[in-house]
């Protein structure tokens, strides 16, 4: 069964750091584009970051320079290192697999984890 | 402020048909990029509902359909059922920035009366 399971969320003070993990099963993380999407309390979905199958990484402007996406192929796991956290980073963070195909701009997210909650507060 | 605009809420009685619009611009939907839809039941993760403007993944009832025209897209739900009460999000790609940028609508809450 194809599955994504996030972990690592919690309460952190402003300016602090946190690392989220997303363990995949039923498919290979390194063969797919993988993404993090977040949802602030009572708000909509926001794309945060992507790592391509080739290893290139990209970020939303709101997190650029503070967040780092990576993966461990041996563990089939995706990560999101979050530094210099702000109150506005408070959200449920979802790990998602992108669909495949020749053109990434047609991609959609076909597998989602259940999410992990990050709260940034003093 | 979301790049794609959706109505905050829609409602309908059981058995009725409702539509949810998703309006973009020339840098996303109008540029020819596909629109995809997700359903988020209360307290759960989003689930893919429609991909590639009008295609349904296996297991999604044919009561759900999608369409796209110009700079907008729509999700239609016929034969409304109580279990359809959820938040619905459209998603596309936006080329206005220098890097890749997948964008979502602000979401629409569907209430089944």
């Amino acid at each position: 069964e194809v599955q994504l399971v996030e972990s690592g969320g919690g309460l952190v003070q402003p300016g602090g750091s946190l690392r989220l993990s997303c363990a995949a099963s039923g498919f290979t993380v390194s063969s797919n584009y993988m993404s993090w999407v977040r949802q602030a309390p009572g708000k909509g979905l926001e794309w945060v970051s992507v790592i391509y199958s080739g290893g290139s990484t990209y970020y939303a402007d709101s997190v650029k320079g503070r967040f780092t996406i990576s993966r461990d192929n041996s563990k089939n796991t995706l990560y999101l290192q979050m530094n210099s956290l702000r109150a506005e980073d408070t959200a449920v963070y979802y790990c998602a697999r992108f669909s495949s195909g020749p053109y990434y701009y047609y991609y959609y997210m076909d597998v989602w984890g259940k999410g992990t909650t990050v709260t940034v507060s003093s | 402020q979301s790049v794609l605009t959706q109505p905050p809420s829609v409602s309908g009685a059981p058995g009725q048909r409702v539509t949810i619009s998703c309006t973009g611009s020339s840098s996303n939907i109008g540029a020819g990029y596909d629109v995809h839809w997700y359903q988020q039941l209360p307290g759960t993760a989003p689930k893919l509902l429609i991909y590639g403007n009008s295609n349904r993944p296996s297991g999604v009832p044919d009561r759900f359909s999608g369409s796209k025209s110009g700079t907008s897209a729509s999700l239609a739900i016929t034969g409304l059922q109580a279990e359809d009460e959820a938040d619905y999000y459209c998603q596309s790609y936006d080329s206005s920035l220098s890097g890749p940028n997948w964008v979502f609508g602000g979401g629409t809450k569907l209430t089944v009366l």
Side-chain angles (χ1 to χ4, degrees), chain A residues 39 47 58 94 106-107 109 113, chain B residues 36 38 40 45 89 93 100 102:
Chain A
Q39 185 171 34
W47 171 74
Y58 298 94
Y94 296 102
Y106 291 135
Y107 286 3
M109 295 152 200
Chain B
H36 320 290
Y38 302 88
Q40 186 175 34
Y89 293 90
Y93 181 87
W102 289 271

Side-chain angles (χ1 to χ4, degrees), chain A residues 41-72:
Chain A
K43 302 296 183 182
L45 302 171
E46 179 189 16
W47 171 74
V48 171
S49 181
V50 64
I51 183 167
Y52 288 178
S53 51
S56 298
T57 59
Y58 298 94
Y59 304 90
D61 285 347
S62 57
V63 306
K64 201 172 293 182
R66 301 187 298 122
F67 289 12
T68 303
I69 190 172
S70 63
R71 67 189 183 211
D72 184 328

